[in-house]
Amino acid sequence: MNVVVLVKQIPDPANPYELVDGRLKRGVAQKVMDPGDEYGVEAALRLVDQFGGEVNVISMGPAAAMEAIRRALSMGAHKGVLVTDDALGGADALATARVLAAAIKRSEFDLVIAGVESTDGSTGVVPQMVAELLGVPQSTFAKEIEAKDSSLTIKRQTAAGYDMVECPLPAVITVTAGVNEPRYPTFKGIMQAKSKPVDTVSLGDLGLGGDDAKPTQSVDAVNPAPERGAGEKFEDDGTGAAKVADLLKQLKVI
Amino acid sequence: MAKIWVYAELSHGGAVEKTVFEILTKARTLGADALECVALGPGATAAAAALGEYGATTVYASDDDTFSDFVAEPAAHVIAELIKQHQPSLVLAPFTYDARDTMARVSAKLGLTLHTGATDVLAVDKTQEAIFGGAKIVDVALGGNEPRIVLLRPKFTEAEPAGGAAANVVNVDVAVPDETKRARRTERHEEDATGPKLEEAPVVVSGGRGLQQAENFKLLEDLAAAIGNAAVGASRAVVDAGWVPYSMQIGQTGKTVKPKVYIACGISGATQHIVGMKSSERIIAINKDPDAPIFSLADLGIVGDALKVIPQLTDEVKSRKG
């Protein structure tokens, strides 16, 4: 089974941005592979361990996003493709999906795995768009994956509980955090990753033009949200619980 | 001649997703010439009365099981065909799992602009979204061809009925091709929840890493029971750790709540969490770390060990209720 994993390099969510002279400064923080993507890489590695085949890691981003691909390779993925192009700055979900779908189509695949949504953008629609552009079915929010013959049985998280979904291959699926326990790269894995094949391609290499990557939505204005002022804060000296209970009583919820 | 469409997502069982009524309420203020709905799956025709009450004049409806049995593709196919036939200017939908799945495919099929996770819609080509955990509001200009598609976060506004008559039902006459019937739902499970629903409870008590282990969620259940009419929620960290089911998660990837009182216990207040609870009327935070970001939005903050304070609070609540 040949599995494509989509990964994204994002500002470290543990320390996503810094305030410099009271202004939000992007690009200062360290970048990491989206922690949500580690579950996708792990899920792909397990399927390939079970059925054979290769894990191909695909990402779109600036040249530095190759680090996210290397991270996946050091976990055990076999090869990677980074799509990088100046024309892609500010790409929205549909533009991103067009690029990823074109990159995926360059080789044979049975399954595409992505995280449910990126931690920084959180649009939660790119994988489904990729599925449509590839002409394959999708199953999102997988919390358990079982493969047999040419289909997957997915336990799909829902707001109320879960569904069981039978999804024929090839397909696109998204995985939730907690679907598995992602492995840490070993020293050997990190060394091996350095010699694994990676490819850097541009929009032109994918047969796409600047129009395919042009975003159709733009930010007009950024305004501070109405302040929600902090209220009172007390060090608990044994009366904290009583203060909370008093407030609950005052608000008539007890 | 703007025509606005609202995708009236139906839950399993046929009820209209609540956010749909919020969307209709907002859509009525946008000055459209027509406000219409698309409802697909069992319950679609019956939904006409409720949708009409909130201002929809027409509902394109099909009660076909296909739309609930198969994931996304049949609905996406039909919606795309209906859009081509009727050419609305704007398509609004709730930011739910299923609407994301379906509308993403519609967007990709027709090359339409899709704004997901919007927190308001101001015009047929203008939306808002809260970013950085709600610290900033960005105005977004929607370009590209009509219709643009906007998915709106639950509880972005209050739903208010308009007192309209039942919407006129137009049966959907688009055939569903077999090749769209691929990923199939074979079973549905709903987790048993006792007490009020998280999104509807007037009081939400929620726990995070500060509770230290899964077993300690029992303390929150005891507190919720003592308060009465309270629901228990959780941060993403403890859901990811497997302490409690996802159905309890509050935040960006979980539920959005807006209770009268929100009590955050051992929750630091990561952006991802704040998005789902910052509109609560009152916020109370209990956390060991005096610098935890949650305190910056709390009306009342107690710097202390949640594991110690919660049982005390349960007792205090009981004694005040007599």
Side-chain angles (χ1 to χ4, degrees):
Chain A
M1 182 181 293
N2 289 319
V3 185
V4 171
V5 184
L6 302 177
V7 303
K8 185 178 182 189
Q9 179 88 335
I10 64 163
D12 186 349
N15 181 21
Y17 42 77
E18 289 179 17
L19 283 174
V20 177
D21 296 330
R23 297 187 58 170
L24 208 55
K25 182 108 173 153
R26 291 275 233 157
V28 175
Q30 201 182 344
K31 300 257 181 33
V32 297
M33 181 169 86
D34 193 324
D37 292 338
E38 295 190 6
Y39 301 94
V41 175
E42 179 64 37
L45 292 172
R46 288 184 189 192
L47 287 168
V48 166
D49 284 348
Q50 196 182 347
F51 297 98
E54 287 192 328
V55 176
N56 184 13
V57 186
I58 298 181
S59 188
M60 181 188 109
M66 187 57 90
E67 283 172 45
I69 291 175
R70 292 279 179 209
R71 164 90 188 175
L73 295 177
S74 68
M75 288 173 71
H78 300 81
K79 57 187 181 181
V81 179
L82 174 66
V83 186
T84 191
D85 199 305
D86 288 344
L88 288 168
D92 59 12
L94 185 52
T96 304
R98 284 191 186 113
V99 168
L100 293 172
I104 292 165
K105 272 191 210 161
R106 298 201 316 157
S107 47
E108 300 236 327
F109 67 94
D110 299 296
L111 177 63
V112 178
I113 304 182
V116 163
E117 61 185 21
S118 65
T119 302
D120 61 341
S122 311
T123 61
V125 290
V126 171
Q128 300 92 320
M129 289 172 165
V130 168
E132 178 63 36
L133 295 169
L134 294 173
V136 301
Q138 74 201 31
S139 184
T140 51
F141 284 92
K143 35 196 287 186
E144 282 173 27
I145 304 159
E146 203 185 311
K148 50 173 189 262
D149 303 329
S150 57
S151 76
L152 298 178
T153 304
I154 304 272
K155 185 173 177 180
R156 176 180 185 257
Q157 182 174 287
T158 65
Y162 66 91
D163 291 345
M164 297 306 295
V165 176
E166 289 287 331
C167 185
L169 295 174
V172 173
I173 66 169
T174 70
V175 296
T176 60
V179 65
N180 53 39
E181 190 68 49
R183 66 196 70 182
Y184 283 105
T186 58
F187 179 69
K188 193 174 154 211
I190 293 167
M191 296 312 288
Q192 283 174 343
K194 292 180 178 165
S195 56
K196 287 179 175 170
V198 289
D199 206 357
T200 301
V201 299
S202 66
L203 275 180
D205 295 333
L206 296 176
L208 298 175
D211 278 354
D212 295 307
K214 211 154 73 187
T216 54
Q217 42 196 317
S218 56
V219 170
D220 258 4
V222 181
N223 295 301
E227 281 280 324
R228 176 169 193 126
E232 292 181 294
K233 186 163 80 174
F234 300 96
E235 190 77 35
D236 183 35
D237 56 0
T239 63
K243 287 194 175 79
V244 175
D246 286 342
L247 180 59
L248 295 179
K249 185 89 189 170
Q250 191 195 321
L251 296 171
K252 300 193 170 72
V253 294
I254 57 170
Chain B
M1 295 293 272
K3 175 155 63 181
I4 297 180
W5 272 13
V6 177
Y7 175 53
E9 185 180 311
L10 302 167
S11 65
H12 180 54
V16 177
E17 178 64 37
K18 285 203 161 112
T19 311
V20 169
F21 298 120
E22 296 159 17
I23 296 172
L24 282 167
T25 302
K26 179 69 195 195
R28 296 200 305 261
T29 69
L30 297 177
D33 302 319
L35 181 53
E36 301 176 340
C37 287
V38 178
L40 302 172
T45 307
L51 297 172
E53 201 186 339
Y54 283 84
T57 52
T58 296
V59 52
Y60 297 92
S62 167
D63 291 325
D64 193 339
D65 285 336
T66 301
F67 299 109
S68 56
D69 288 350
F70 292 93
V71 175
E73 289 188 84
H77 173 82
V78 168
I79 293 167
E81 291 303 311
L82 289 172
I83 286 173
K84 283 193 264 180
Q85 279 175 28
H86 302 279
Q87 304 184 343
S89 301
L90 177 67
V91 178
L92 303 173
F95 186 61
T96 56
Y97 296 1
D98 287 348
R100 275 200 249 183
D101 276 10
T102 303
M103 289 303 168
R105 291 192 85 115
V106 173
S107 163
K109 267 180 204 295
L110 303 178
L112 301 176
T113 303
L114 172 63
H115 181 187
T116 77
T119 47
D120 208 350
V121 52
L122 308 177
V124 289
D125 57 358
K126 197 163 185 180
T127 49
Q128 281 188 333
E129 182 174 348
I131 60 165
F132 299 142
K136 302 273 182 202
I137 308 284
V138 295
D139 290 352
V140 179
L142 304 177
N145 297 328
E146 290 190 348
R148 290 101 185 192
I149 307 174
V150 178
L151 304 189
L152 287 144
R153 287 195 174 274
K155 305 203 177 205
F156 76 101
T157 189
E158 292 283 331
E160 280 168 35
N168 175 35
V169 174
V170 176
N171 290 315
V172 169
D173 56 2
V174 178
V176 180
D178 280 345
E179 57 266 28
T180 65
K181 299 176 190 173
R182 294 190 281 192
R184 177 199 283 267
R185 283 189 187 87
T186 54
E187 294 170 41
R188 291 179 191 260
H189 297 263
E190 299 205 350
E191 260 138 24
D192 294 331
T194 51
K197 283 180 72 179
L198 201 46
E199 302 99 312
E200 287 158 24
V203 180
V204 172
V205 180
S206 82
R209 280 262 186 225
L211 294 184
Q212 293 179 15
Q213 51 181 328
E215 291 68 34
N216 291 331
F217 259 79
K218 177 79 173 66
L219 299 175
L220 295 187
E221 285 161 23
D222 293 344
L223 174 58
I227 293 171
N229 217 8
V232 179
S235 72
R236 174 171 165 178
V238 303
V239 172
D240 285 356
W243 293 5
V244 292
Y246 175 80
S247 53
M248 285 169 67
Q249 184 172 319
I250 293 168
Q252 176 98 34
T253 25
K255 298 197 160 106
T256 303
V257 299
K258 217 171 176 176
K260 260 182 99 162
V261 183
Y262 187 86
I263 309 177
C265 305
I267 289 179
S268 64
T271 301
Q272 133 78 30
H273 185 71
I274 288 174
V275 173
M277 48 63 76
K278 75 180 288 273
S279 304
S280 304
E281 280 179 45
R282 295 296 180 107
I283 295 170
I284 298 171
I286 304 166
N287 201 299
K288 264 197 286 211
D289 174 8
D291 299 322
I294 190 82
F295 285 125
S296 69
L297 7 145
D299 298 284
L300 174 61
I302 303 296
V303 181
D305 183 355
L307 292 180
K308 222 170 83 188
V309 178
I310 299 164
Q312 290 171 355
L313 178 55
T314 304
D315 289 341
E316 294 281 351
V317 166
K318 281 182 184 158
S319 72
R320 275 166 183 70
K321 289 181 94 174

